[in-house]
């Protein structure tokens, strides 16, 4: 098997990220809750996309790309971090974003302004239109271009979270459950595949913050990553569990999510975001209250970042 460290990678972040016990929330919920601080990955304002971009941009560089295209919503953390990574690596990022959500100069839009990133808004609901526009613009520019899909979620990007599972296995304690947000799929798919390989017996849960068919997307990404790694594993629906935490819609704050953002801020001094991690942590709280965890279980919440959204989306609601 080719583990993730057999693949080319550019160094963008600071790893391993810490794992901390949330003493106050553990006492409140009656279960041992830990947090994996992937909000502290060390590029931009941190977040999960840094792990994926280390693999994706190594591939871009190997192919001689001068321009990196990516996409997402108006407040995409992934797009902002791609621009930050490109700046570090001396590449030019062009972001073609859906004209959905908060397009004002707040949050990630402000950060992109500060980096001088070229941002194009496209009035479409279909990413196929955006990828076609990347091809058109790339041909016009006439320089080598590299396209990164929404959220960095392809087989190569997924390796970032297979590697995160390996990192967790080396840090301890032993976790019975790992919980993360699911937006484009790569994080959950990587953790679920990584748990099969490096964390036997650990259950992995994806808290869905969008309405895409994650029951199909997740195993497809897991299979793609397993194929790259030449890993001999059987992937099936039992490898992860999904829960719908989307509420009123993608990138629209929910009541449960906002309550979780407040709980984490008030009791632990850690900031979640309204689009991803607040909704995901609300899912963990709901499971604890439903008695889904045994009192001595160790539950790990993966804080995937999202600080940019905190300064744009919550203000709107
Ligand atoms: C993108 C993102 C996620 C979701 O990760 P996926 O790999 O896209 O499913 C979670 N949290 C934050 C803050 C993100 O930016």
């Amino acid at each position: 098997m080719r583990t993730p460290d057999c693949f080319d990678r550019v160094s963008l972040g600071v790893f391993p990220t810490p794992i901390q016990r949330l003493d106050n929330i553990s006492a409140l919920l009656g279960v041992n809750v830990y947090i994996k601080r992937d909000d502290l990955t060390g590029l931009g304002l941190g977040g999960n996309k840094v792990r994926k971009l280390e693999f994706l941009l190594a591939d871009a560089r190997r192919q001689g790309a001068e321009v990196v295209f990516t996409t997402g919503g108006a407040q995409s953390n992934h797009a902002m971090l791609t621009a930050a990574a490109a700046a570090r690596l001396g590449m030019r990022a062009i972001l073609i974003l859906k004209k959905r959500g908060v397009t004002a100069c707040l949050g990630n839009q402000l950060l992109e302004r500060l980096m001088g990133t070229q941002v194009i808004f496209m009035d479409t609901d279909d990413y196929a239109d955006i990828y076609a526009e990347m091809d058109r613009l790339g041909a016009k520019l006439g320089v080598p271009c590299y396209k990164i899909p929404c959220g960095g979620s392809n087989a190569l990007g997924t390796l970032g979270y297979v590697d995160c599972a390996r990192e967790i296995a080396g840090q301890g304690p032993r976790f019975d459950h790992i919980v993360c947000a699911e937006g484009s799929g790569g994080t959950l798919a990587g953790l679920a595949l990584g748990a099969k390989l490096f964390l036997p017996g650990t259950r992995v849960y994806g808290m869905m913050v969008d309405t895409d068919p994650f029951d199909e997307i997740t195993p497809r990404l897991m299979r793609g990553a397993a194929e790259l790694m030449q890993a001999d594993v059987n992937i099936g629906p039992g490898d992860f569990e999904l829960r719908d935490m989307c509420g009123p819609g993608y990138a629209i704050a929910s009541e449960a999510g906002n309550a979780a953002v407040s709980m984490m801020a008030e009791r632990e001094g850690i900031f979640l975001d309204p689009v991803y991690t607040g909704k995901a942590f609300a899912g963990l709280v709901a499971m604890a209250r439903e008695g889904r965890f045994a009192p001595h279980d160790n539950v790990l919440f993966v804080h995937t970042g999202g600080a940019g959204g905190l300064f744009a989306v919550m203000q709107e609601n």
Side-chain angles (χ1 to χ4, degrees):
M1 180 176 75
R2 300 178 68 214
T3 54
D5 43 273
C6 302
F7 290 76
D8 273 352
R9 183 168 180 172
V10 290
S11 174
L12 295 169
V14 182
F15 301 107
T17 57
I19 292 179
Q20 300 162 332
R21 187 174 188 274
L22 299 177
D23 290 339
N24 300 322
I25 287 181
S26 295
L28 178 75
L29 298 179
V31 59
N32 298 307
V33 186
Y34 290 79
I35 191 164
K36 173 74 169 160
R37 297 298 302 273
D38 270 18
D39 56 323
L40 304 179
T41 47
L43 176 72
L45 301 183
N48 60 342
K49 303 312 181 312
V50 178
R51 290 188 191 269
K52 302 178 181 186
L53 287 165
E54 288 202 342
F55 291 95
L56 293 165
L57 290 177
D59 189 40
R61 185 182 257 185
R62 197 179 46 75
Q63 293 185 24
E66 291 175 31
V67 168
V68 177
F69 285 110
T70 198
T71 185
Q75 287 294 332
S76 166
N77 302 304
H78 161 70
M80 184 277 284
L81 283 169
T82 300
R88 274 268 300 267
L89 298 173
M91 294 172 170
R92 176 174 163 210
I94 301 179
L95 311 181
I96 307 185
L97 306 180
K98 279 187 182 173
K99 203 174 178 177
R100 297 285 177 274
V102 181
T103 56
C105 192
L106 292 169
N108 287 311
Q109 282 301 316
L110 171 64
L111 302 179
E112 285 153 19
R113 169 87 63 94
L114 292 176
M115 292 187 284
T117 309
Q118 185 178 350
V119 178
I120 299 165
F121 287 113
M122 234 180 129
D123 198 358
T124 177
D125 277 321
D126 190 350
Y127 280 117
D129 295 337
I130 290 182
Y131 297 125
E133 179 62 13
M134 289 176 186
D135 289 336
R136 198 192 63 77
L137 206 59
K140 203 172 105 186
L141 289 170
V143 297
C145 297
Y146 189 83
K147 287 189 289 185
I148 298 178
C150 169
S153 285
N154 57 18
L156 189 61
T158 297
L159 293 184
Y161 272 85
V162 175
D163 194 52
C164 180
R166 180 209 48 79
E167 187 177 295
I168 292 165
Q171 284 177 296
R174 198 195 152 277
F175 293 104
D176 302 286
H177 315 271
I178 296 181
V179 175
C180 70
E182 177 151 48
S184 64
T187 302
L188 178 66
L191 288 172
L193 177 59
K196 273 178 102 76
L197 298 171
F198 307 116
L199 296 162
T202 302
R203 302 273 311 142
V204 181
Y205 306 83
M207 301 296 174
M208 301 183 285
V209 303
D210 204 341
T211 54
D212 295 318
F214 292 112
D215 54 333
E216 294 163 23
I217 292 168
T218 313
R220 193 191 312 142
L221 287 167
M222 288 175 74
R223 284 192 193 98
E227 199 172 305
L228 284 180
M229 293 170 60
Q230 297 161 10
D232 187 17
V233 286
N234 268 320
I235 288 153
D239 291 332
F240 55 88
E241 198 176 305
L242 300 174
R243 186 179 180 112
D244 179 9
M245 294 304 299
C246 186
Y250 172 71
I252 303 171
S254 71
E255 218 170 285
N258 287 353
V261 171
S262 296
M263 180 194 287
M264 187 69 87
E266 286 168 12
R267 291 172 191 268
E268 303 288 351
I270 294 173
F271 301 107
L272 301 176
D273 79 289
V275 180
Y276 294 96
T277 54
K279 290 179 179 179
F281 196 70
L284 184 155
V285 171
M287 287 181 71
R289 293 196 166 138
E290 289 161 7
R292 294 282 312 275
F293 307 128
H296 298 293
D297 280 358
N298 290 329
V299 183
L300 180 66
F301 178 70
V302 182
H303 188 337
T304 43
L310 184 59
F311 294 102
V313 175
M314 246 173 166
Q315 291 190 9
E316 290 280 301
N317 290 277

PDB file of all heavy atoms in Angstrom, residues 48-49 52 77 153 181-187 273 276-277 304-306, ligand 1:
ATOM      1  N   ASN A  48      -9.562  22.971   7.306  1.00  0.00           N
ATOM      2  CA  ASN A  48      -9.283  21.635   6.779  1.00  0.00           C
ATOM      3  C   ASN A  48      -8.696  21.642   5.368  1.00  0.00           C
ATOM      4  O   ASN A  48      -8.033  20.696   4.969  1.00  0.00           O
ATOM      5  CB  ASN A  48     -10.567  20.785   6.813  1.00  0.00           C
ATOM      6  CG  ASN A  48     -11.716  21.358   5.993  1.00  0.00           C
ATOM      7  OD1 ASN A  48     -11.724  22.542   5.650  1.00  0.00           O
ATOM      8  ND2 ASN A  48     -12.692  20.529   5.702  1.00  0.00           N
ATOM      9  N   LYS A  49      -8.945  22.695   4.587  1.00  0.00           N
ATOM     10  CA  LYS A  49      -8.515  22.652   3.190  1.00  0.00           C
ATOM     11  C   LYS A  49      -6.993  22.662   3.047  1.00  0.00           C
ATOM     12  O   LYS A  49      -6.467  22.257   2.009  1.00  0.00           O
ATOM     13  CB  LYS A  49      -9.150  23.797   2.391  1.00  0.00           C
ATOM     14  CG  LYS A  49     -10.684  23.825   2.435  1.00  0.00           C
ATOM     15  CD  LYS A  49     -11.301  22.477   2.147  1.00  0.00           C
ATOM     16  CE  LYS A  49     -12.819  22.412   2.152  1.00  0.00           C
ATOM     17  NZ  LYS A  49     -13.538  23.008   3.277  1.00  0.00           N
ATOM     18  N   LYS A  52      -5.689  19.175   2.312  1.00  0.00           N
ATOM     19  CA  LYS A  52      -5.956  18.736   0.938  1.00  0.00           C
ATOM     20  C   LYS A  52      -5.031  19.459  -0.031  1.00  0.00           C
ATOM     21  O   LYS A  52      -4.501  18.862  -0.978  1.00  0.00           O
ATOM     22  CB  LYS A  52      -7.405  19.043   0.569  1.00  0.00           C
ATOM     23  CG  LYS A  52      -8.455  18.406   1.472  1.00  0.00           C
ATOM     24  CD  LYS A  52      -9.839  18.853   0.999  1.00  0.00           C
ATOM     25  CE  LYS A  52     -10.956  18.294   1.853  1.00  0.00           C
ATOM     26  NZ  LYS A  52     -12.279  18.617   1.303  1.00  0.00           N
ATOM     27  N   ASN A  77     -14.432  28.924   2.211  1.00  0.00           N
ATOM     28  CA  ASN A  77     -13.138  28.885   2.922  1.00  0.00           C
ATOM     29  C   ASN A  77     -12.085  28.217   2.048  1.00  0.00           C
ATOM     30  O   ASN A  77     -10.920  28.583   2.069  1.00  0.00           O
ATOM     31  CB  ASN A  77     -13.274  28.071   4.218  1.00  0.00           C
ATOM     32  CG  ASN A  77     -14.322  28.629   5.140  1.00  0.00           C
ATOM     33  OD1 ASN A  77     -14.269  29.793   5.517  1.00  0.00           O
ATOM     34  ND2 ASN A  77     -15.305  27.815   5.496  1.00  0.00           N
ATOM     35  N   SER A 153     -12.307  18.381  -3.072  1.00  0.00           N
ATOM     36  CA  SER A 153     -12.735  17.005  -2.819  1.00  0.00           C
ATOM     37  C   SER A 153     -12.671  16.150  -4.078  1.00  0.00           C
ATOM     38  O   SER A 153     -13.658  15.963  -4.783  1.00  0.00           O
ATOM     39  CB  SER A 153     -14.146  16.986  -2.217  1.00  0.00           C
ATOM     40  OG  SER A 153     -14.081  17.376  -0.860  1.00  0.00           O
ATOM     41  N   ALA A 181     -17.837  17.841  10.021  1.00  0.00           N
ATOM     42  CA  ALA A 181     -18.814  18.395   9.083  1.00  0.00           C
ATOM     43  C   ALA A 181     -18.606  17.761   7.714  1.00  0.00           C
ATOM     44  O   ALA A 181     -17.488  17.376   7.363  1.00  0.00           O
ATOM     45  CB  ALA A 181     -18.634  19.911   8.985  1.00  0.00           C
ATOM     46  N   GLU A 182     -19.682  17.681   6.933  1.00  0.00           N
ATOM     47  CA  GLU A 182     -19.547  17.225   5.549  1.00  0.00           C
ATOM     48  C   GLU A 182     -20.162  18.267   4.617  1.00  0.00           C
ATOM     49  O   GLU A 182     -21.351  18.572   4.689  1.00  0.00           O
ATOM     50  CB  GLU A 182     -20.221  15.864   5.338  1.00  0.00           C
ATOM     51  CG  GLU A 182     -20.148  15.437   3.869  1.00  0.00           C
ATOM     52  CD  GLU A 182     -20.136  13.934   3.650  1.00  0.00           C
ATOM     53  OE1 GLU A 182     -20.968  13.253   4.241  1.00  0.00           O
ATOM     54  OE2 GLU A 182     -19.286  13.458   2.855  1.00  0.00           O
ATOM     55  N   GLY A 183     -19.302  18.831   3.742  1.00  0.00           N
ATOM     56  CA  GLY A 183     -19.752  19.869   2.813  1.00  0.00           C
ATOM     57  C   GLY A 183     -19.541  19.475   1.356  1.00  0.00           C
ATOM     58  O   GLY A 183     -20.441  19.581   0.532  1.00  0.00           O
ATOM     59  N   SER A 184     -18.328  19.010   1.043  1.00  0.00           N
ATOM     60  CA  SER A 184     -18.101  18.478  -0.302  1.00  0.00           C
ATOM     61  C   SER A 184     -17.630  17.030  -0.245  1.00  0.00           C
ATOM     62  O   SER A 184     -17.555  16.366  -1.274  1.00  0.00           O
ATOM     63  CB  SER A 184     -17.107  19.348  -1.085  1.00  0.00           C
ATOM     64  OG  SER A 184     -15.829  19.324  -0.481  1.00  0.00           O
ATOM     65  N   GLY A 185     -17.296  16.535   0.922  1.00  0.00           N
ATOM     66  CA  GLY A 185     -17.125  15.097   1.122  1.00  0.00           C
ATOM     67  C   GLY A 185     -15.725  14.598   1.446  1.00  0.00           C
ATOM     68  O   GLY A 185     -15.568  13.536   2.042  1.00  0.00           O
ATOM     69  N   GLY A 186     -14.700  15.345   1.044  1.00  0.00           N
ATOM     70  CA  GLY A 186     -13.336  14.831   1.170  1.00  0.00           C
ATOM     71  C   GLY A 186     -12.879  14.591   2.605  1.00  0.00           C
ATOM     72  O   GLY A 186     -12.126  13.651   2.864  1.00  0.00           O
ATOM     73  N   THR A 187     -13.349  15.429   3.504  1.00  0.00           N
ATOM     74  CA  THR A 187     -12.908  15.289   4.895  1.00  0.00           C
ATOM     75  C   THR A 187     -13.460  14.004   5.503  1.00  0.00           C
ATOM     76  O   THR A 187     -12.704  13.191   6.060  1.00  0.00           O
ATOM     77  CB  THR A 187     -13.347  16.525   5.701  1.00  0.00           C
ATOM     78  OG1 THR A 187     -12.776  17.676   5.080  1.00  0.00           O
ATOM     79  CG2 THR A 187     -12.894  16.443   7.143  1.00  0.00           C
ATOM     80  N   ASP A 273     -17.931  28.089  13.464  1.00  0.00           N
ATOM     81  CA  ASP A 273     -18.501  28.971  12.437  1.00  0.00           C
ATOM     82  C   ASP A 273     -19.934  28.540  12.137  1.00  0.00           C
ATOM     83  O   ASP A 273     -20.303  27.391  12.395  1.00  0.00           O
ATOM     84  CB  ASP A 273     -17.644  28.920  11.158  1.00  0.00           C
ATOM     85  CG  ASP A 273     -17.953  27.679  10.345  1.00  0.00           C
ATOM     86  OD1 ASP A 273     -17.571  26.574  10.780  1.00  0.00           O
ATOM     87  OD2 ASP A 273     -18.603  27.794   9.295  1.00  0.00           O
ATOM     88  N   TYR A 276     -20.373  25.506   8.842  1.00  0.00           N
ATOM     89  CA  TYR A 276     -19.907  24.114   8.913  1.00  0.00           C
ATOM     90  C   TYR A 276     -19.814  23.607  10.356  1.00  0.00           C
ATOM     91  O   TYR A 276     -20.530  22.705  10.761  1.00  0.00           O
ATOM     92  CB  TYR A 276     -18.517  23.976   8.270  1.00  0.00           C
ATOM     93  CG  TYR A 276     -18.482  24.235   6.797  1.00  0.00           C
ATOM     94  CD1 TYR A 276     -18.133  25.490   6.302  1.00  0.00           C
ATOM     95  CD2 TYR A 276     -18.779  23.224   5.883  1.00  0.00           C
ATOM     96  CE1 TYR A 276     -18.084  25.737   4.941  1.00  0.00           C
ATOM     97  CE2 TYR A 276     -18.732  23.456   4.523  1.00  0.00           C
ATOM     98  CZ  TYR A 276     -18.381  24.712   4.054  1.00  0.00           C
ATOM     99  OH  TYR A 276     -18.345  24.948   2.715  1.00  0.00           O
ATOM    100  N   THR A 277     -18.863  24.173  11.100  1.00  0.00           N
ATOM    101  CA  THR A 277     -18.495  23.533  12.373  1.00  0.00           C
ATOM    102  C   THR A 277     -19.551  23.730  13.455  1.00  0.00           C
ATOM    103  O   THR A 277     -19.693  22.877  14.327  1.00  0.00           O
ATOM    104  CB  THR A 277     -17.129  24.061  12.854  1.00  0.00           C
ATOM    105  OG1 THR A 277     -17.173  25.498  12.918  1.00  0.00           O
ATOM    106  CG2 THR A 277     -16.019  23.648  11.896  1.00  0.00           C
ATOM    107  N   THR A 304     -12.880  21.959  11.743  1.00  0.00           N
ATOM    108  CA  THR A 304     -12.349  22.110  10.387  1.00  0.00           C
ATOM    109  C   THR A 304     -12.141  23.572   9.981  1.00  0.00           C
ATOM    110  O   THR A 304     -11.855  23.840   8.817  1.00  0.00           O
ATOM    111  CB  THR A 304     -13.292  21.390   9.399  1.00  0.00           C
ATOM    112  OG1 THR A 304     -14.649  21.695   9.768  1.00  0.00           O
ATOM    113  CG2 THR A 304     -13.096  19.886   9.456  1.00  0.00           C
ATOM    114  N   GLY A 305     -12.304  24.501  10.920  1.00  0.00           N
ATOM    115  CA  GLY A 305     -11.979  25.904  10.610  1.00  0.00           C
ATOM    116  C   GLY A 305     -13.217  26.730  10.318  1.00  0.00           C
ATOM    117  O   GLY A 305     -14.245  26.586  10.972  1.00  0.00           O
ATOM    118  N   GLY A 306     -13.109  27.632   9.344  1.00  0.00           N
ATOM    119  CA  GLY A 306     -14.283  28.403   8.933  1.00  0.00           C
ATOM    120  C   GLY A 306     -14.379  29.803   9.509  1.00  0.00           C
ATOM    121  O   GLY A 306     -15.427  30.442   9.407  1.00  0.00           O
TER     122      GLY A 306
HETATM  123  C1  LIG B   1     -15.000  22.841   3.464  1.00  0.00           C
HETATM  124  C2  LIG B   1     -15.261  22.854   4.916  1.00  0.00           C
HETATM  125  C3  LIG B   1     -15.817  21.739   5.573  1.00  0.00           C
HETATM  126  C4  LIG B   1     -16.304  20.522   4.845  1.00  0.00           C
HETATM  127  O1  LIG B   1     -15.291  19.705   4.401  1.00  0.00           O
HETATM  128  P1  LIG B   1     -15.521  18.843   3.080  1.00  0.00           P
HETATM  129  O2  LIG B   1     -14.268  18.107   2.902  1.00  0.00           O
HETATM  130  O3  LIG B   1     -15.786  19.847   1.987  1.00  0.00           O
HETATM  131  O4  LIG B   1     -16.713  17.990   3.282  1.00  0.00           O
HETATM  132  C5  LIG B   1     -15.975  21.785   6.933  1.00  0.00           C
HETATM  133  N1  LIG B   1     -15.629  22.890   7.642  1.00  0.00           N
HETATM  134  C6  LIG B   1     -15.127  23.975   7.047  1.00  0.00           C
HETATM  135  C7  LIG B   1     -14.823  25.145   7.890  1.00  0.00           C
HETATM  136  C8  LIG B   1     -14.915  24.002   5.671  1.00  0.00           C
HETATM  137  O5  LIG B   1     -14.413  25.102   5.103  1.00  0.00           O
END
